[in-house]
Amino acid sequence: MTQPGANGGGETLVEVFDLHKHYTLPKESLFRAAPRVFALNGVSFSIKTGRSFGVVGESGCGKSTLARAVMGLETPTSGRVLFREHDINAIGREELRQLRRNFQMVFQDPFGSLDPRQKVGRIIGEPMDALERVSSDERQGRVVEALEAVGLKAIDMDKYPHEFSGGQRQRIAIARALITRPALIVADEPVSALDVSVQAQVLNLLQDLQDEFNVTYMLISHDLAVVEYVCDEVAVMSEGKIVEHGPTEQIFSDPQHEYTRTLLDAVPQVAPPR
């Protein structure tokens, strides 16, 4: 995959300005203030249309909180998240509902994120049901289109999630994200729950869908190999802050921050055969 410069590409789709998110924990003592967790501490970046933006870091660094904030599922303590120049935390409820069809999320656990009591056709069509008004014929056509886009078949819409493998369930989750034809998909550890043999299939699918639909990705992962394979740009997070950001090839070949070098040094190296 070509790795263009961090400032290349088309229009800016997402802009994040000085984002902070603090959580207040239950008080541990009557005589002390309630402790606070600083999940995000001044995070800023932008993502251009059609690009893949990776966020990497150790567990607890704030990357999943960042994903939820970009999706509008977390209200920041301060700072702004702009989607196509709309501040998603400042607009009205109806305007946000209309905007939501343009960004969807794929979660880590492909089984836990799918309702086991619902058939696949109902699951995939759910975001469209919530955000659009379409006829039953158009709905079914869109569900079939989404299934076929991820390599599944129209007859799969009448099955239940437990009838599929882990990789197929994640394809269903991706089809659900595609159903509203979004400009942005935020994928939070989308392959970490899958067998290694299946991960490459799902990652290749994400790239194929980007080529076909020009979808933009924000990919959250602790796996550096996944980010290197998929993403044009990468931001390295530590303790709620972005400590390094740039084109993926540059970051991986010539890391400037000590924390980035530590992450790269921790990646297992396969010894060449003798």
Side-chain angles (χ1 to χ4, degrees), residues 103-169:
F103 48 92
Q104 294 291 332
M105 193 162 187
V106 175
F107 296 93
Q108 175 179 359
D109 182 359
F111 193 73
S113 64
L114 306 178
D115 188 341
R117 301 165 297 180
Q118 302 289 347
K119 290 183 178 180
V120 165
R122 176 78 177 270
I123 291 170
I124 292 176
E126 188 177 17
M128 185 169 54
D129 297 339
L131 301 172
E132 303 179 43
R133 292 180 180 177
V134 299
S135 67
S136 59
D137 286 346
E138 182 180 351
R139 183 190 188 281
Q140 181 165 329
R142 293 266 293 273
V143 169
V144 170
E145 180 184 20
L147 277 168
E148 292 178 345
V150 300
L152 297 174
K153 299 177 181 179
I155 59 173
D156 291 329
M157 65 189 300
D158 292 322
K159 298 178 182 178
Y160 290 91
H162 72 268
E163 299 180 65
F164 296 87
S165 68
Q168 288 173 322
R169 287 195 289 264

Side-chain angles (χ1 to χ4, degrees), residues 71 83-84 96-106 121-134 138-139 141-147 149-150 172-186 209 213-216:
M71 284 294 299
F83 182 87
R84 288 179 174 161
L96 178 60
R97 191 183 76 85
Q98 294 295 326
L99 200 62
R100 276 197 181 279
R101 63 172 294 175
N102 295 292
F103 48 92
Q104 294 291 332
M105 193 162 187
V106 175
R122 176 78 177 270
I123 291 170
I124 292 176
E126 188 177 17
M128 185 169 54
D129 297 339
L131 301 172
E132 303 179 43
R133 292 180 180 177
V134 299
E138 182 180 351
R139 183 190 188 281
R142 293 266 293 273
V143 169
V144 170
E145 180 184 20
L147 277 168
V150 300
I172 293 167
I174 294 169
R176 179 176 59 185
L178 284 173
I179 195 71
T180 61
R181 298 166 183 167
L184 172 71
I185 291 179
V186 177
L209 294 173
F213 299 108
N214 197 36
V215 65
T216 302

Side-chain angles (χ1 to χ4, degrees), residues 13-25:
L13 184 68
V14 177
E15 294 177 277
V16 174
F17 295 101
D18 196 26
L19 207 63
H20 293 254
K21 180 62 181 179
H22 305 159
Y23 297 97
T24 300
L25 302 178

